[in-house]
Amino acid sequence: MDPKLAEVSQLFERFKAACAREDVDTCCNVLSKLKVLLTGFSSLPPLFEDTPNAIHELTLARDIYEHAVLLSVKIGDQDAFERDFFQLKPYYTDASSRLPPSSQEYMILGLNLLRLLVQNRIAEFHTELELLSSTALENPCIKHAVELEQSFMEGAYNRVLSAKQTVPCKTYDYFMDLLAKTVRDEIAGCSEKAYGYLSVSDARQMLLFSSDNELLQYIKEEQPEWEIKTGQVIFQKAKESASCKEIPSLQLINQTLSYARELERIV
Amino acid sequence: MAATMVSSAGALLAMLNESHPQLKQHALYNLNKFVDQFWPEISTSVPLIESLYEDEEFDRHQRQLAALVVSKVFCYLGDLNDSLSYALGAGSLFDVSEDSDYVHSLLAKAIDEYASLKAKATESNAEAANVDPRLEAIVERMLDKCIMDGKHQQAMGIAIECRRLDKLEEAITRSDNVHGTLSYCINVSHAFVSRREYRCEVLHLLVNVYQKLPYPDYLSICQCLMFLDEPEGVASILEKLLRSENKDDVLLAFQIAFDLVENEHQAFLLNVRDRLSVPKSQSSEMVQPKSSDPDPAQNNSSTASEDVQMTEGTSASIAIVQETDPNDAIYAERLTKIKGILSGETSIQLTLQFLYSHNKSDLLILKTIKQSVEMRNSVCHSATIYANAIMHAGTTVDTFLRDNLDWLSRATNWAKFSATAGLGVIHRGHLQQGRSLMRPYLPQGGSGGGGSPYSEGGALYALGLIHANHGKGIKQFLRDSLRSTNVEVIQHGACLGLGLAALGTADEDIYDDIKSALYTDSAVAGEAAGISMGLLMVGSASEKASEMLTYAHETQHEKIIRGLALGIALTVYGREEEADTLIEQMTRDQDPILRYGGMYALALAYRGTANNKAIRQLLHFAVSDVSDDVRRTAVLALGFVLYSEPEQTPRIVSLLSESYNPHVRYGAALAVGISCAGTGLSEAISLLEPLTSDVVDFVRQGALIAMAMVMVQMNEAGDSRVGTFRRQLEKIILDKHEDTMSKMGAILASGILDAGGRNVTIRLLSKTKHDKVTAVVGLAVFSQFWYWYPLIYFISLSFSPTAFIGLNYDLKVPKFEFLSNAKPSLFEYPKPTTVPTTTSAVKLPTAVLSTSAKAKARAKKEAEQKANAEKAAGAESSSAATNTGKEKSSSEKDADSVQVDSQPEKKAGPEPSFEILTNPARVVPAQEKFIKFMEDSRYAPVKFVPSGFVLLRDLQPTEPEVLSLTDAPSSTVSPAGGSATGQQGSASAMAVDEEPQPPQPFEYTS
């Protein structure tokens, strides 16, 4: 076996061991080293050169990135998740014809969909969805995300929250928690538009908090522009819709007249 | 397995965000590879890559790589400015030789940028402006690459554009065909270098390069030197050639001299001539007459000055030949010849002979005009006189005037002035005889005899026209006449004459004389004085202009202001940017007449440059000025700016020609007429056609004149519309109810159409693409006829003979034949008009009786039978039969006979596809491209040009030469006799003996 490849596999074993030990720091360090080593293989994307060990290398690299994605979920680092996922993606899309499908593929794709949902990047969510095949859509991991999105869009927020109980995979928990917060933000945004003020208890119900304290905490941290007065939550209409812009009619008239004059003069 | 392709750059972009530098580098490296494909994706991450480029901690190479990627993305996004600045950041990674769209477009951008920076730097005169050295490096790399690859034209273009004269020189000297590249470079510098100063620098460089060559192209050098106004250089080259042992070099020197003369730069030519050194060994007594010879020769009007010089030269050499070596003697002889050429006398004389001997003017046209115009209508009457003068310009044929003395005598006052002046046009170039011809009309030395001041003034003007641009002999006389009179009409004539004779000499004394005439503040004299000052100072850009401007502000007379305005405009002739301040001053003036002068100043300063700025300014004035005069002139001036690119003009003025304002339409017509003069350009004709039937009379006038200028020397075979136009002119002239204005236009147009005995065209550019000063000035003043009819005669200055005149070493015209590879009918003279045109104008259908029809049929049958009996060969028999039949039938109708007769004649036999022309021959501009020289001919031209004066190298010098152009107007001298005349000079003999007598002095009944 190619010495380089051997080195990578060896390192990868160490990485997996560290993961099992939940030793995050070691994981990150080893992962970084792995990634650098991977750049040395020309058979990997984007070059896709046809080297003798190509299949093996590709599989290994895919494994590494899959683990990297899962690691990022574990440590709750969304940026790292995004980075690793994008680097993983070519293995699913472009290299699919050469590699046997990975068992974790749909799970990770579903994770990504969830992430987009959490970050409220709905457009990208749909873009990703369009790229999936119909068989993929049947997969419970994907299906779960799609259903969530539907409920989310309908405004059936309670269904979103209850879906937490039916996650297809343990790794999804992290995002489901985040999703609850996203839902709350949505509700907050809507009520801000819809009401001038709300009583604290109504607001608590509305925002799905179990106690007033939690509500107050939330307002303090996330919505500093809201005010609480005499048991009322007053939504500041901070972003007052800009008054209808006045048409500079006089200027326009002048301009038109001068054009007409010029036109008359020419020819 | 097929290679797998990536479908997205997302992975790489994600990798950029990794913290490990090695990963970033890997990502960058790959991004650079895939940027052509994934730039839309990458463009969203540009800020990230930019930050990498700016990251000081990053490895230098990597930063450059980042810059390159960003630059590429910007290039794809179409933001070339940013792209360029990042490409500069990429340093050596930006590969000039790469063959990709990105590199091509960026290089173009870089060069543009560099050129504009350089141009700005020179304009603001900032020494070594802050040009980015990296940019400079890129451009230099590009230039070097072009030179290496042998793309010298590109390299030269870039070098000129970027003002890198050092690189230009390198490009030229390293090219394989230095002569070719040099001439290309000259063309480029004239056509595309818009700043005059810079063009001078380029030409300087070219001259230097030329001179370093082992076989310099002296013809081109001298052209450059003339543009640079360096008579010393030309003189030294000529001298070198003249001193050469080789006869060919001498021929070359003569050819150079002729080419220089063609540009009509009088002051320059005189300078060159004066700088040619006299043979050094000649003793002082020899130098004496040499230096003073021009004057006596000129004043002695009965002898050809050239001959005087020639004999002097030879006698001198004979005298000295014993004591000095023969080389000097030969040099002296050659020197006299070249001086003759440079003074313009040789060419004028030859032209005169050519125009006289080939004169094909159609007197019948004039006769028709004369009969149809009303006697009492003085405008049309004098228009006819103008037309006659133009038609016979330079031919010395004044039969029409002499035949119609009675009719002529109806001209009174100013009409008499112009009638007399017309003689000057007819005898244009008749330097020796001019004075004696005009003597009857000239003011009689101080006695103030019986002559009318109008004819006297006209005669002075005529003298100016005769000596236009070659007035050395006549200047003194005109000055005396100007000083000795205080009649304003005579002053008027004298001023104009003096201006013409001393055109462009910038002579201070003459200027003072004219100034004193101006300061009499008489409207008539002042106007002429203003124009005359301008003529005198043409192109000198002297401070006199401000003096004139001041006076124009002081005086009350519009005429004087107008004269001065034009005069000021003339002073800045060809100065381009230098004239900008003056133009600005004039165009902002309150007085519309001065603004009008400003238009002329723009036109003349930027003559033939097609300068965008000038065009823009003129178009602006054409639509925005409040005065109709200014608008008209602004449009007209476009014609002058664009005459070097006549194809452009119709397009540019086409909108203006549909203007609601008749003045603008008139201007558009003349603009086309001026810039497309003599080209016969189809677009020009199409544009003018509707204008010739405009609703406003003066627009029709302008259009008719312009059309004639465009169509001059064309015949119906070239463009059928010429025939239509001729018929239209005839109709207008004959129509009783036509407006006087358009009638006058039609009469003038018929004159211009057949100008100079159908042997001249209007040409504003010489063959070397330089402007002809006299011609341009002539047309500019001509366009003033709107205000003052006698100025119509200035158009004669723009006539140049369409002739091929081959000359041998003795500057004689030997017998020499060459080919014109086109059907003769394409370029032949238009057919002379026939007498019965007027009677056959209305032809009623004749009733045909059945009996006569039968008789006709019978006659036809008989003819056919006869023809059959004769058994002429095949196809010819039938055509002959129809011909005879036609002739028979035609004989029944008398009126038609002439026309029908000409048809069968034409049908006879196919036309040959070529024609053999004999030196000297008429070669019209359109014909030039068909001219071929025969290889087995005895003579070979020194320079392969199809028209003008060409020196011929004699390949069989031992055999006796046969001269073809006999000096003589009369037919008594046979060609053989001409050859015998030999050395003893043809021209003078002609002038003395066979010249027809001047017309009898006619009495005016005023």
Side-chain angles (χ1 to χ4, degrees), chain B residues 715 717 822-828 906-915:
Chain B
N715 63 10
K823 287 184 188 163
S825 73
L826 273 179
F827 304 115
E828 71 189 0
K906 234 185 172 178
K907 269 182 200 161
E911 207 186 341
S913 63
F914 66 91
E915 185 181 14

Short mmCIF file of all heavy atoms in Angstrom, two decimals, chain B residues 715 717 822-828 906-915:
data_model
loop_
_atom_site.label_atom_id
_atom_site.label_comp_id
_atom_site.label_asym_id
_atom_site.label_seq_id
_atom_site.Cartn_x
_atom_site.Cartn_y
_atom_site.Cartn_z
N ASN B 715 -18.00 60.96 -66.03
CA ASN B 715 -18.89 60.92 -67.18
C ASN B 715 -20.00 59.92 -66.91
O ASN B 715 -20.04 59.28 -65.87
CB ASN B 715 -18.12 60.58 -68.46
CG ASN B 715 -17.51 59.21 -68.39
OD1 ASN B 715 -17.80 58.44 -67.48
ND2 ASN B 715 -16.66 58.90 -69.33
N ALA B 717 -20.68 57.09 -68.03
CA ALA B 717 -20.33 55.68 -67.88
C ALA B 717 -19.95 55.37 -66.44
O ALA B 717 -20.15 54.28 -65.95
CB ALA B 717 -19.18 55.33 -68.81
N ALA B 822 -8.63 49.50 -68.12
CA ALA B 822 -10.07 49.63 -67.96
C ALA B 822 -10.65 50.06 -69.28
O ALA B 822 -9.93 50.53 -70.16
CB ALA B 822 -10.38 50.66 -66.89
N LYS B 823 -11.93 49.89 -69.38
CA LYS B 823 -12.58 50.28 -70.63
C LYS B 823 -12.39 51.78 -70.86
O LYS B 823 -12.60 52.57 -69.93
CB LYS B 823 -14.08 49.98 -70.55
CG LYS B 823 -14.38 48.52 -70.66
CD LYS B 823 -15.87 48.31 -70.67
CE LYS B 823 -16.19 46.83 -70.57
NZ LYS B 823 -17.56 46.60 -70.19
N PRO B 824 -12.02 52.16 -72.04
CA PRO B 824 -11.78 53.59 -72.31
C PRO B 824 -13.02 54.43 -72.02
O PRO B 824 -12.92 55.55 -71.56
CB PRO B 824 -11.42 53.63 -73.78
CG PRO B 824 -11.00 52.25 -74.12
CD PRO B 824 -11.70 51.33 -73.19
N SER B 825 -14.20 53.86 -72.27
CA SER B 825 -15.41 54.67 -72.13
C SER B 825 -15.65 55.10 -70.69
O SER B 825 -16.32 56.08 -70.43
CB SER B 825 -16.62 53.90 -72.64
OG SER B 825 -16.93 52.89 -71.71
N LEU B 826 -15.05 54.35 -69.75
CA LEU B 826 -15.29 54.68 -68.35
C LEU B 826 -14.77 56.07 -68.01
O LEU B 826 -15.31 56.77 -67.17
CB LEU B 826 -14.61 53.65 -67.45
CG LEU B 826 -15.42 52.40 -67.12
CD1 LEU B 826 -14.61 51.48 -66.25
CD2 LEU B 826 -16.70 52.79 -66.41
N PHE B 827 -13.67 56.43 -68.64
CA PHE B 827 -13.00 57.64 -68.20
C PHE B 827 -12.88 58.68 -69.31
O PHE B 827 -12.17 59.65 -69.17
CB PHE B 827 -11.61 57.30 -67.67
CG PHE B 827 -11.66 56.29 -66.57
CD1 PHE B 827 -11.11 55.04 -66.72
CD2 PHE B 827 -12.28 56.61 -65.37
CE1 PHE B 827 -11.18 54.10 -65.70
CE2 PHE B 827 -12.35 55.68 -64.35
CZ PHE B 827 -11.81 54.43 -64.51
N GLU B 828 -13.51 58.45 -70.42
CA GLU B 828 -13.32 59.39 -71.52
C GLU B 828 -14.02 60.71 -71.21
O GLU B 828 -14.82 60.81 -70.28
CB GLU B 828 -13.84 58.78 -72.81
CG GLU B 828 -15.34 58.69 -72.83
CD GLU B 828 -15.84 57.89 -74.02
OE1 GLU B 828 -15.02 57.43 -74.82
OE2 GLU B 828 -17.06 57.74 -74.13
N LYS B 906 -21.94 52.87 -81.66
CA LYS B 906 -21.50 52.35 -80.36
C LYS B 906 -21.54 50.83 -80.34
O LYS B 906 -20.70 50.18 -79.75
CB LYS B 906 -22.43 52.90 -79.28
CG LYS B 906 -21.67 53.61 -78.17
CD LYS B 906 -22.61 54.01 -77.09
CE LYS B 906 -21.88 54.53 -75.90
NZ LYS B 906 -22.82 54.98 -74.88
N LYS B 907 -22.57 50.31 -80.99
CA LYS B 907 -22.75 48.86 -80.94
C LYS B 907 -21.64 48.12 -81.66
O LYS B 907 -21.38 46.96 -81.39
CB LYS B 907 -24.08 48.48 -81.59
CG LYS B 907 -25.21 48.45 -80.58
CD LYS B 907 -26.48 48.04 -81.27
CE LYS B 907 -27.69 48.43 -80.48
NZ LYS B 907 -28.88 48.45 -81.30
N ALA B 908 -21.04 48.82 -82.60
CA ALA B 908 -20.09 48.12 -83.44
C ALA B 908 -18.92 47.59 -82.63
O ALA B 908 -18.11 48.34 -82.12
CB ALA B 908 -19.58 49.06 -84.53
N GLY B 909 -18.87 46.28 -82.52
CA GLY B 909 -17.72 45.63 -81.89
C GLY B 909 -17.65 45.87 -80.40
O GLY B 909 -18.04 46.92 -79.92
N PRO B 910 -17.16 44.88 -79.63
CA PRO B 910 -17.03 45.06 -78.18
C PRO B 910 -15.92 46.06 -77.88
O PRO B 910 -14.96 46.19 -78.63
CB PRO B 910 -16.67 43.66 -77.69
CG PRO B 910 -16.01 43.01 -78.86
CD PRO B 910 -16.63 43.60 -80.09
N GLU B 911 -16.09 46.74 -76.77
CA GLU B 911 -15.10 47.74 -76.40
C GLU B 911 -13.85 47.04 -75.88
O GLU B 911 -13.96 46.05 -75.16
CB GLU B 911 -15.71 48.60 -75.29
CG GLU B 911 -15.14 49.97 -75.26
CD GLU B 911 -15.67 50.71 -74.06
OE1 GLU B 911 -16.71 50.30 -73.51
OE2 GLU B 911 -15.03 51.68 -73.69
N PRO B 912 -12.70 47.55 -76.22
CA PRO B 912 -11.49 46.93 -75.66
C PRO B 912 -11.45 47.15 -74.16
O PRO B 912 -11.99 48.13 -73.66
CB PRO B 912 -10.35 47.69 -76.35
CG PRO B 912 -10.95 48.98 -76.79
CD PRO B 912 -12.39 48.68 -77.10
N SER B 913 -10.80 46.21 -73.46
CA SER B 913 -10.82 46.32 -72.01
C SER B 913 -9.63 47.12 -71.50
O SER B 913 -9.41 47.21 -70.31
CB SER B 913 -10.80 44.93 -71.40
OG SER B 913 -9.61 44.30 -71.77
N PHE B 914 -8.84 47.64 -72.40
CA PHE B 914 -7.73 48.48 -71.93
C PHE B 914 -7.50 49.59 -72.94
O PHE B 914 -8.11 49.63 -74.00
CB PHE B 914 -6.48 47.64 -71.75
CG PHE B 914 -5.94 47.08 -73.03
CD1 PHE B 914 -4.99 47.77 -73.76
CD2 PHE B 914 -6.40 45.87 -73.51
CE1 PHE B 914 -4.53 47.28 -74.95
CE2 PHE B 914 -5.94 45.37 -74.69
CZ PHE B 914 -5.00 46.07 -75.42
N GLU B 915 -6.58 50.42 -72.59
CA GLU B 915 -6.35 51.60 -73.41
C GLU B 915 -4.88 51.95 -73.25
O GLU B 915 -4.33 51.82 -72.16
CB GLU B 915 -7.22 52.73 -72.86
CG GLU B 915 -7.21 53.98 -73.65
CD GLU B 915 -8.11 55.01 -72.97
OE1 GLU B 915 -8.49 54.81 -71.81
OE2 GLU B 915 -8.40 56.00 -73.59
#
